[in-house]
Amino acid sequence: MRIKCPVCGERPLEEYAYRGDAKVQRPRTHAPDQANAWHDYVYLRDNPKGRQKEHWRHSGGCGAWLVVDRDTYTHEIFSVRLTKAARRRAK
């Protein structure tokens, strides 16, 4: 699989580090049930078959965090973009 980094261009999978589902939100610092919220955030993940948005880091290149829209079954990549935080830093 090859991922097209918006900064560096197309690169092999070995240059990237996978973080996981891009929809998962970090709990607020003062969440009402903080222990359970953090447990769920760290350990509980869906493992869907099909299209989803994922976080990847171009660790072997520019270091940018990316949102990759891909099919987890076929590995087809539909789009790659910088995360909001990475776009703010690039300005």
Side-chain angles (χ1 to χ4, degrees), residues 48-80:
K49 178 179 177 181
R51 194 168 172 172
Q52 81 167 11
K53 289 181 174 36
E54 304 168 323
H55 280 138
W56 289 77
R57 183 170 183 264
H58 193 183
S59 55
C62 64
W65 279 97
L66 310 171
V67 176
V68 178
D69 181 8
R70 80 175 178 104
D71 188 303
T72 60
Y73 183 68
T74 65
H75 301 294
E76 178 182 358
I77 295 176
F78 301 99
S79 68
V80 179

Side-chain angles (χ1 to χ4, degrees), residues 4 11-12 23 29 31 44 46 51-52 58 61 63 72 78 81-82 91:
K4 188 174 183 180
R11 298 287 198 258
K23 293 179 292 186
T29 305
L44 300 182
D46 292 332
R51 194 168 172 172
Q52 81 167 11
H58 193 183
T72 60
F78 301 99
R81 64 179 170 79
L82 294 171
K91 289 182 180 181

